[in-house]
Amino acid sequence: GAVVSQHPSWVICKSGTSVKIECRSLDFQATTMFWYRQFPKQSLMLMATSNEGSKATYEQGVEKDKFLINHASLTLSTLTVTSAHPEDSSFYICSARQGVPNEQFFGPGTRLTVL
Amino acid sequence: AQRVTQPEKLLSVFKGAPVELKCNYSYSGSPELFWYVQYSRQRLQLLLRHISRESIKGFTADLNKGETSFHLKKPFAQEEDSAMYYCALSTGGTSYGKLTFGQGTILTVHP
């Protein structure tokens, strides 16, 4: 149980286009989902916290107009990278939390390459 | 703000040797500490959490509030333990559930 999926696993896009990444909790309802960014050989950096039915809260330094997050249901959150540029190329990871206990289940990640 | 420090980026040991991955944190309140592991080409998964005080795959970690540490230990390393290990901290209040990760330690266990 407690499986989180991400789609797509890998995406290449042209500079200036927008890319949507989906995060789904497959067998549980996630009260909260988190979006992280991971640069090569570096740690995960929290970008934003997504709660179903409410606006996402973004960490300091993360542009909310650039990284649009929608949490439409208890099993789906989406991250849209708008007007992507090469510096947005990274590995994006989501996680989902059931609530109690305080445990996050991680997706496999999405590799974004912006040309 | 809270911070998690893993001083060793790389750690190599031989099979059967003891291993200790260091983790230090800074936070003024009472944190919840975790160790996550990421095996090659796999997703991040929880290894253990301090509040459960359990041993998973032979690994243990004790929260030392005096030294603000949560080091991960295993008495006899196995080759299958080779992976990236992240120490993470969760705080309470409005930030409940958010995780702050350390930089990670790549553990390599040689045969």
Side-chain angles (χ1 to χ4, degrees), chain A residues 6-66:
Chain A
Q6 279 184 244
H7 178 80
S9 57
W10 189 27
V11 57
I12 301 174
C13 70
K14 291 183 179 179
S15 186
T17 60
S18 294
V19 174
K20 180 185 281 189
I21 302 170
E22 291 185 349
C23 177
R24 292 181 185 273
S25 56
L26 298 184
D27 50 4
F28 68 100
Q29 293 186 328
T31 54
T32 307
M33 288 183 171
F34 301 90
W35 287 96
Y36 296 86
R37 185 170 178 176
Q38 186 177 34
F39 291 100
K41 297 182 181 178
Q42 293 190 31
S43 187
L44 286 78
M45 287 188 56
L46 180 65
M47 297 174 66
T49 303
S50 170
N51 292 295
E52 186 266 341
S54 62
K55 288 184 179 179
T57 55
Y58 291 80
E59 296 301 301
Q60 192 172 12
V62 178
E63 299 175 60
K64 54 184 169 185
D65 294 331
K66 173 78 172 171

Side-chain angles (χ1 to χ4, degrees), chain B:
Chain B
Q2 62 273 14
R3 176 177 282 191
V4 178
T5 303
Q6 292 179 249
E8 304 137 329
K9 204 171 178 75
L10 301 168
L11 185 61
S12 289
V13 299
F14 286 100
K15 177 183 173 181
V19 63
E20 181 180 50
L21 290 84
K22 291 186 167 50
C23 172
N24 288 91
Y25 67 90
S26 62
Y27 178 60
S28 55
S30 292
E32 202 171 338
L33 275 297
F34 304 82
W35 275 100
Y36 281 85
V37 61
Q38 189 170 29
Y39 299 103
S40 180
R41 297 193 180 126
Q42 294 188 28
R43 69 187 67 196
L44 208 62
Q45 55 186 284
L46 179 66
L47 181 61
L48 52 79
R49 54 199 303 166
H50 91 269
I51 61 171
S52 60
R53 302 183 66 82
E54 56 189 343
S55 171
I56 303 293
K57 298 184 179 182
F59 285 97
T60 59
D62 290 316
L63 178 61
N64 186 323
K65 292 187 178 180
E67 295 183 358
T68 59
S69 68
F70 188 56
H71 303 325
L72 183 68
K73 300 176 184 178
K74 185 169 182 177
F76 307 103
Q78 303 299 314
E79 289 178 69
E80 55 265 30
D81 296 328
S82 295
M84 170 73 95
Y85 291 81
Y86 291 100
C87 181
L89 175 154
S90 177
T91 63
T94 56
S95 296
Y96 181 71
K98 289 187 183 180
L99 287 175
T100 300
F101 284 88
Q103 290 297 100
T105 298
I106 299 173
L107 173 66
T108 303
V109 181
H110 300 284

